[in-house]
Amino acid sequence: MKRNLSLLMDFYELTMANGYFKDGRHQDIAVFDVFFRSIPDDGGYAIFAGLESIIDYIENLRFDDEDINYLKSRNIFDEGFLKYLENFKFTSDVYAIEEGTPIFPNEPLFIIKGPIIECQLIETMVLLSINHQSLIATKTSRIVREAKGRPVFEFGARRAHSFDAANLGARSAYIGGVTGTSNTLAGRLFNIPALGTMAHSYVQSFESEFEAFKSYALNYPDNTLLLVDTYDTLHQGIPNAIRVHNEILKPMGKSLKGIRIDSGDLAYLSKKVRTLLDEAGLTDTKITVSNALDEFIIRDLVVHQDAMIDSFGVGERLITARSEAVFGGVFKLSALEEDGKLIPKIKISDNVAKTTIPGFKQLYRFYDENNMAIADLITLHDEVIDSTKPYTLFDPMHPWKQKVVENFRVEKKLVPIFEKGKLVYNIPKLSEIRKRKEQLFESLWKEVIRLKNPHEYYVDLSQDLWDIRQELITKHKN
Amino acid sequence: MKRNLSLLMDFYELTMANGYFKDGRHQDIAVFDVFFRSIPDDGGYAIFAGLESIIDYIENLRFDDEDINYLKSRNIFDEGFLKYLENFKFTSDVYAIEEGTPIFPNEPLFIIKGPIIECQLIETMVLLSINHQSLIATKTSRIVREAKGRPVFEFGARRAHSFDAANLGARSAYIGGVTGTSNTLAGRLFNIPALGTMAHSYVQSFESEFEAFKSYALNYPDNTLLLVDTYDTLHQGIPNAIRVHNEILKPMGKSLKGIRIDSGDLAYLSKKVRTLLDEAGLTDTKITVSNALDEFIIRDLVVHQDAMIDSFGVGERLITARSEAVFGGVFKLSALEEDGKLIPKIKISDNVAKTTIPGFKQLYRFYDENNMAIADLITLHDEVIDSTKPYTLFDPMHPWKQKVVENFRVEKKLVPIFEKGKLVYNIPKLSEIRKRKEQLFESLWKEVIRLKNPHEYYVDLSQDLWDIRQELITKHKN
């Protein structure tokens, strides 16, 4: 029961596609790259996500009668073009970075090489998928990191930007490092631990808080987690929770699993609550907190406030990436075949940093002997890096800044996804993607991942690629 | 081909529902309200949207085998509860504000009265729909207003938070006032004008900019709108556009419809471009601009910079509501039936403003003789306002601040949507919703809709409702 999302594309993709078609140029081979220019929240890295959605879109890209009739009704599209869409078959090559990989500005994340008409038709969905999902995975990884090993749960469905944002947002958050989600459908669809216990309304719906807690304990004796702040956390909520433990759970051989605080001063309350619970012998009862948390508040609680918190529920600021709700991936032409030869294309900007990197490319990541990432290198697609010899990296903006690396290892980061339209990539399980993120994250220097003023990770160009770019810039200036 | 979104609910809705079920209380009648506490961007109003999605969800709320099997696999739900879900039938009453209506903090936007188990099961989707769609409709109305009558187009699909956010975001933006969208699927689904012309890649894919423009003009002679900033707007883009007009379009009896500028200083460029076009006799050629626009930049361009712009394309800052990506609607218990009588429920907070408004309610809007909105009044559900007599409004926080209104007219703002589970609301066409927004917006004072430091629109309580609330607060304090 697949949704038909084929027409989720900017209308100009279709006017351009129709133009190429009518000009007889639609089968000309082009190369387009996706890259981004700046990291949300002034961070030092981002986490790549969204590839599985893109694969899904491409695999299901058909134009049904409704689509064709709609386009026909616009009275601007060529009959032959509509026929082409009716019989659409994806035939391009696609390379991409794998989900869960740390990524950096200006490097190619996704490359399509194929008929220019196909490149154009998938543009919007490719960007949409990468931009949203990388945004959430990145934001989540910042939040999870500051929790310093304490589990973080994604609680944001009610503030997500609609249904897919809740579901795919939960998936991206899981890649980014959350332990579970409150979204049941995401749990079912992606096999993410889905969990939750009670809202204030449950407590309010009973005669008393104690009665509510008692009901919950009797219904869920193995996993009694009580929301204690409906009336007064310290004077009612915790005493009632302890009473439920003593009167209901203990006689059954069970114990109070945890309590949740959703309002008030979380640092102060968590410490007071910990003391009350410990004094009642409930040293194993966990304290969970929620309420407009983000990476900075969590860091404050954990590092500066000595809060006694075992896990965090994070909602709106994660699922909307509220502090920076835009991930700015772009999709740019980088080469065009002329007479059977790929000719690199550049888009010059007065803003030097916005001038594109031309050509059909590949991306390598350099690691040192301790498996720490040193730099990324953008090369021509077929360049081979010989890691047995010293390699000279240089800053593409200031080429006199050089660094010779030895005893390194390289990883090719762009892997084949489609070959001539055929899916050749083994789609990994979500749990594997999550593990990849965890492992690769370990290879980043602390200086790169810190929240404020991170070190700028090196993304360099190979000499060959740099030369081509300079040549095109020079040619263009004349 | 409906998607099954039934389980898009926070897991705690299910643990609570199962708890109510096992306690034999699930058919107890409850009342829950949706309201919000603060307006995004410190604005003076918001625009309500999301109702149609909620209706759609409720109408399709079934739990299929996959859902039930998933829940079964969790090993915490009662067999009888799962049977209940398998045979789920919605039986509640629902009241809501109509889409496109200006709304204000603390007033009930959506009320459900029915078995507490049903209220709980729809909570997440109700909030998700209202929060996302009202956020985008509100943001859009701010942007459109500052364009002072110039058309604004929604161009944000590639930066939306996934597929639904692109589609329903475009729908919300249309309610909020955009003239069209770049999202073709939204165009097809909702009958919103979908439009677009070309990206930089189209221009780059040709030998020269002139060749690209020529191709476009030949393919779309009736609607030639050229993107002029790929290389150099003033020295190449505009001269090439004028040449295409003179050499291609004019001989066909056509003319250049417009040009788009997507980078650089839009104020400066638009003025220079206007002069160049006018000098070439192209006085009817329209100038469209895009590039990270929002309400403030548009106001600057229009009011302070005398920019010569005919229409705006707005992308990421609209579709993500980037400046404030969260709309904070909440869902709170307000009454519970005991022995056949609805008993108002309150949630007290130390923060007075966060204490809820109890009871089963109705919302009235007061208009003066000139059809300007004076105030909203929250009443008990069955209260009737006699508009033939003077009515005393008072500030619920400072009841000594009073105002007697005469010669007014009232509108009941919460209309029946479902009655005993049956849809009784005539779902309006999107064009009607958009018209409603336009008309009702005219009833707001300029002081309420200005961007900065708007006047706080009055949302008052009737004397009866105020008394009940005070009584509950007093009772609770003792």
Side-chain angles (χ1 to χ4, degrees):
Chain A
M1 209 172 73
K2 284 276 174 199
R3 267 188 295 172
N4 173 13
L5 293 171
S6 297
L7 281 191
L8 184 27
M9 54 176 68
D10 289 304
F11 196 74
Y12 74 15
E13 317 290 3
L14 290 158
T15 48
M16 289 190 284
N18 180 60
Y20 292 131
F21 186 90
K22 286 181 75 176
D23 291 355
R25 299 176 52 234
H26 60 293
Q27 296 292 358
D28 288 6
I29 299 300
V31 179
F32 281 78
D33 309 335
V34 173
F35 63 92
F36 71 117
R37 294 198 180 97
S38 67
I39 300 173
D41 293 318
D42 296 321
Y45 68 96
I47 301 293
F48 185 69
L51 179 60
E52 196 173 311
S53 293
I54 296 172
I55 292 172
D56 198 53
Y57 178 70
I58 291 176
E59 291 255 286
N60 290 285
L61 189 50
R62 320 247 180 294
F63 298 86
D64 67 15
D65 289 353
E66 264 186 294
D67 295 331
I68 299 293
N69 289 337
Y70 172 73
L71 296 178
K72 207 172 276 177
S73 77
R74 298 298 303 266
N75 290 321
I76 55 169
F77 296 112
D78 185 80
E79 273 298 318
F81 172 65
L82 295 177
K83 261 275 165 298
Y84 165 83
L85 291 184
E86 260 183 84
N87 301 319
F88 182 82
K89 217 180 149 314
F90 187 73
T91 65
S92 302
D93 296 337
V94 169
Y95 303 83
I97 287 187
E98 294 190 278
E99 289 189 289
T101 305
I103 51 174
F104 303 94
N106 301 316
E107 55 194 32
L109 310 175
F110 177 98
I111 292 178
I112 173 169
K113 175 169 175 282
I116 192 165
I117 194 167
E118 295 183 18
C119 301
Q120 215 72 77
L121 289 174
I122 69 166
E123 171 175 1
T124 306
M125 275 297 260
V126 167
L127 288 175
L128 174 49
S129 299
I130 292 174
N131 282 335
H132 169 241
Q133 296 178 51
S134 301
L135 177 72
I136 303 303
T138 304
K139 181 69 176 177
T140 305
S141 91
R142 291 167 59 85
I143 293 171
V144 167
R145 201 178 98 78
E146 295 308 320
K148 297 200 181 294
R150 292 165 187 82
V152 174
F153 300 98
E154 186 281 299
F155 277 3
R158 61 190 54 199
R159 303 281 161 85
H161 287 190
S162 245
F163 323 129
D164 293 317
N167 295 331
L168 293 168
R171 179 183 183 274
S172 307
Y174 194 59
I175 293 173
V178 295
T179 301
T181 177
S182 66
N183 176 350
T184 314
L185 185 54
R188 200 204 82 191
L189 292 173
F190 307 121
N191 200 23
I192 304 171
L195 75 185
T197 57
M198 66 172 73
H200 296 116
S201 58
Y202 195 76
V203 176
Q204 285 179 279
S205 79
F206 285 81
E207 276 290 293
S208 69
E209 188 178 56
F210 176 74
E211 289 298 320
F213 287 1
K214 184 177 155 189
S215 151
Y216 200 87
L218 289 170
N219 286 319
Y220 304 102
D222 290 320
N223 192 26
T224 306
L225 198 149
L226 303 170
L227 178 63
V228 293
D229 69 340
T230 305
Y231 303 117
D232 183 328
T233 299
L234 297 178
H235 301 102
Q236 296 185 47
I238 292 298
N240 279 327
I242 292 171
R243 189 177 154 207
V244 161
H245 169 81
N246 290 330
E247 296 182 14
I248 313 290
L249 293 166
K250 213 170 164 186
M252 298 165 78
K254 309 288 183 183
S255 67
L256 182 64
K257 274 280 156 58
I259 61 93
R260 177 162 73 98
I261 314 170
D262 186 43
S263 60
D265 190 312
L266 300 176
Y268 171 79
L269 289 174
S270 70
K271 285 183 274 193
K272 285 282 177 185
V273 163
R274 184 72 272 160
T275 304
L276 291 173
L277 291 173
D278 287 352
E279 284 171 2
L282 290 172
T283 51
D284 289 338
T285 299
K286 304 288 187 201
I287 300 175
T288 295
V289 303
S290 47
N291 193 17
L293 298 173
D294 62 22
E295 63 269 47
F296 294 101
I297 297 173
I298 289 177
R299 180 171 67 174
D300 251 31
L301 288 168
V302 169
V303 178
H304 301 300
Q305 306 269 303
D306 306 315
M308 300 300 283
I309 295 171
D310 299 293
S311 65
F312 296 93
V314 183
E316 61 192 36
R317 296 188 185 192
L318 185 160
I319 206 69
T320 68
R322 180 173 175 269
S323 53
E324 175 46 278
V326 172
F327 193 90
V330 295
F331 187 89
K332 298 287 176 191
L333 178 71
S334 61
L336 206 52
E337 207 172 271
E338 288 168 21
D339 307 321
K341 221 184 134 219
L342 269 185
I343 309 298
K345 292 281 171 181
I346 196 166
K347 166 119 176 52
I348 307 275
S349 171
D350 289 338
N351 181 340
V352 183
K354 278 187 119 181
T355 295
T356 64
I357 301 168
F360 180 34
K361 300 181 283 289
Q362 179 53 274
L363 179 73
Y364 287 94
R365 183 155 298 168
F366 282 61
Y367 294 93
D368 70 12
E369 304 122 300
N370 300 315
N371 241 348
M372 297 305 283
I374 312 169
D376 281 11
L377 184 77
I378 311 173
T379 67
L380 296 174
H381 192 74
D382 295 325
E383 267 186 79
V384 175
I385 309 290
D386 181 355
S387 62
T388 65
K389 294 186 192 147
Y391 192 94
T392 304
L393 296 166
F394 63 94
D395 182 335
M397 301 291 277
H398 314 99
W400 60 92
K401 290 170 77 175
Q402 302 194 340
K403 181 180 183 173
V404 179
V405 288
E406 288 180 276
N407 301 319
F408 63 90
R409 168 176 85 72
V410 290
E411 258 175 19
K412 213 181 246 193
K413 301 310 286 183
L414 286 164
V415 303
I417 308 296
F418 287 92
E419 272 175 15
K420 297 193 195 308
K422 197 177 158 296
L423 183 67
V424 293
Y425 181 62
N426 259 326
I427 299 176
K429 281 191 197 159
L430 184 60
S431 56
E432 292 168 34
I433 295 172
R434 189 168 188 270
K435 201 171 289 166
R436 173 183 304 124
K437 182 256 163 187
E438 267 177 33
Q439 285 169 352
L440 293 180
F441 201 70
E442 290 299 312
S443 69
L444 301 182
W445 291 95
K446 267 193 171 179
E447 288 74 8
V448 168
I449 59 179
R450 69 184 168 217
L451 292 184
K452 285 284 179 196
N453 298 324
H455 172 74
E456 194 179 322
Y457 183 80
Y458 299 121
V459 176
D460 298 334
L461 303 191
S462 71
Q463 188 68 54
D464 286 358
L465 183 56
W466 193 87
D467 289 345
I468 289 173
R469 189 172 188 240
Q470 274 316 109
E471 194 185 313
L472 285 176
I473 292 174
T474 311
K475 196 169 128 194
H476 192 271
K477 288 291 169 208
N478 301 332
Chain B
M1 209 170 75
K2 284 278 173 197
R3 267 189 295 173
N4 173 12
L5 292 171
S6 297
L7 281 191
L8 183 28
M9 55 177 67
D10 289 305
F11 196 74
Y12 74 14
E13 316 291 3
L14 290 158
T15 48
M16 290 191 284
N18 181 59
Y20 292 132
F21 186 89
K22 286 179 76 177
D23 291 356
R25 300 176 53 233
H26 60 294
Q27 298 290 359
D28 288 7
I29 299 299
V31 179
F32 282 76
D33 309 334
V34 173
F35 62 92
F36 73 117
R37 293 199 181 96
S38 67
I39 300 173
D41 292 318
D42 297 320
Y45 69 95
I47 301 293
F48 185 70
L51 179 60
E52 195 173 310
S53 292
I54 297 172
I55 292 172
D56 197 53
Y57 178 70
I58 291 176
E59 291 254 286
N60 289 285
L61 189 51
R62 322 248 180 290
F63 299 86
D64 67 15
D65 289 354
E66 264 186 294
D67 295 331
I68 298 293
N69 289 336
Y70 172 73
L71 295 178
K72 207 172 275 177
S73 76
R74 298 298 304 266
N75 290 320
I76 55 169
F77 297 111
D78 185 80
E79 273 298 318
F81 172 65
L82 296 177
K83 262 273 162 306
Y84 165 82
L85 291 184
E86 261 183 83
N87 302 317
F88 181 81
K89 217 179 147 318
F90 187 73
T91 65
S92 301
D93 296 337
V94 168
Y95 303 83
I97 287 186
E98 295 190 276
E99 290 188 289
T101 305
I103 53 173
F104 304 94
N106 302 315
E107 55 193 33
L109 309 175
F110 177 98
I111 293 177
I112 173 169
K113 176 169 175 281
I116 192 165
I117 195 167
E118 296 183 17
C119 301
Q120 216 73 75
L121 289 174
I122 68 165
E123 172 176 0
T124 306
M125 275 296 261
V126 167
L127 288 176
L128 174 49
S129 301
I130 292 175
N131 282 335
H132 169 242
Q133 296 177 53
S134 301
L135 177 72
I136 303 304
T138 304
K139 182 68 174 178
T140 305
S141 91
R142 292 166 59 86
I143 294 170
V144 167
R145 201 178 98 78
E146 295 308 320
K148 296 200 180 293
R150 294 165 186 80
V152 174
F153 299 98
E154 186 282 298
F155 277 3
R158 61 189 54 199
R159 302 281 161 83
H161 288 190
S162 244
F163 323 130
D164 292 317
N167 295 331
L168 292 169
R171 180 184 182 274
S172 307
Y174 194 59
I175 293 174
V178 296
T179 301
T181 177
S182 66
N183 177 350
T184 314
L185 185 54
R188 200 204 82 191
L189 292 173
F190 306 120
N191 200 23
I192 304 171
L195 74 185
T197 56
M198 65 172 72
H200 296 117
S201 57
Y202 196 76
V203 176
Q204 285 179 277
S205 79
F206 285 80
E207 277 291 293
S208 70
E209 190 178 54
F210 176 73
E211 288 299 319
F213 286 1
K214 183 176 156 189
S215 151
Y216 200 88
L218 288 171
N219 287 318
Y220 304 102
D222 289 319
N223 192 26
T224 306
L225 198 150
L226 303 169
L227 178 64
V228 293
D229 69 338
T230 303
Y231 304 115
D232 184 328
T233 300
L234 298 179
H235 301 101
Q236 295 185 47
I238 293 298
N240 280 327
I242 292 171
R243 189 177 153 206
V244 160
H245 170 80
N246 290 331
E247 297 181 14
I248 313 291
L249 293 167
K250 213 168 163 186
M252 298 166 78
K254 310 285 182 184
S255 67
L256 182 64
K257 272 281 157 54
I259 62 93
R260 178 162 73 97
I261 314 170
D262 187 43
S263 61
D265 189 313
L266 300 177
Y268 171 78
L269 288 174
S270 69
K271 284 182 277 192
K272 285 281 179 191
V273 163
R274 185 73 271 159
T275 304
L276 291 173
L277 291 173
D278 288 352
E279 284 171 2
L282 290 172
T283 50
D284 289 339
T285 299
K286 303 289 185 200
I287 299 176
T288 295
V289 303
S290 48
N291 192 17
L293 298 174
D294 63 20
E295 63 270 46
F296 294 103
I297 297 173
I298 289 177
R299 180 171 67 174
D300 252 31
L301 287 169
V302 169
V303 179
H304 301 299
Q305 307 268 303
D306 306 314
M308 300 300 283
I309 295 169
D310 299 292
S311 66
F312 297 92
V314 183
E316 62 193 37
R317 297 188 184 191
L318 185 160
I319 205 69
T320 69
R322 180 172 175 267
S323 53
E324 174 47 278
V326 172
F327 192 91
V330 295
F331 188 88
K332 298 286 177 192
L333 178 71
S334 61
L336 207 51
E337 205 171 272
E338 287 168 21
D339 306 322
K341 223 185 133 217
L342 270 185
I343 309 298
K345 294 280 172 183
I346 195 166
K347 167 121 176 50
I348 307 275
S349 170
D350 288 339
N351 180 340
V352 182
K354 278 187 119 181
T355 296
T356 63
I357 302 168
F360 180 35
K361 300 182 283 288
Q362 179 53 275
L363 179 72
Y364 288 93
R365 183 154 297 167
F366 283 61
Y367 294 91
D368 68 13
E369 302 122 300
N370 300 316
N371 240 347
M372 298 303 285
I374 312 170
D376 281 10
L377 183 77
I378 311 172
T379 68
L380 296 174
H381 191 74
D382 295 325
E383 267 185 80
V384 175
I385 308 290
D386 180 355
S387 61
T388 64
K389 293 187 195 148
Y391 192 95
T392 305
L393 296 165
F394 63 94
D395 182 335
M397 302 291 276
H398 314 99
W400 60 91
K401 289 169 77 176
Q402 302 193 340
K403 181 181 182 171
V404 179
V405 287
E406 287 180 273
N407 302 320
F408 62 90
R409 170 175 83 75
V410 289
E411 261 175 17
K412 214 182 245 193
K413 301 309 286 183
L414 287 163
V415 302
I417 309 295
F418 287 91
E419 271 175 16
K420 297 191 194 311
K422 198 178 157 295
L423 183 66
V424 294
Y425 181 63
N426 260 326
I427 298 176
K429 282 191 196 160
L430 184 59
S431 56
E432 291 168 35
I433 296 172
R434 188 169 190 269
K435 201 170 290 164
R436 174 184 304 122
K437 181 257 163 187
E438 268 177 32
Q439 285 168 352
L440 293 180
F441 200 70
E442 290 299 313
S443 69
L444 301 181
W445 291 95
K446 268 193 170 177
E447 288 73 10
V448 168
I449 58 178
R450 70 183 168 217
L451 292 184
K452 285 285 180 196
N453 299 323
H455 172 73
E456 194 179 320
Y457 183 81
Y458 299 121
V459 176
D460 298 334
L461 304 190
S462 71
Q463 189 66 53
D464 287 358
L465 183 57
W466 194 87
D467 290 345
I468 289 173
R469 188 171 188 240
Q470 275 317 109
E471 195 185 311
L472 285 175
I473 292 173
T474 310
K475 196 171 129 194
H476 193 271
K477 288 290 169 209
N478 301 331

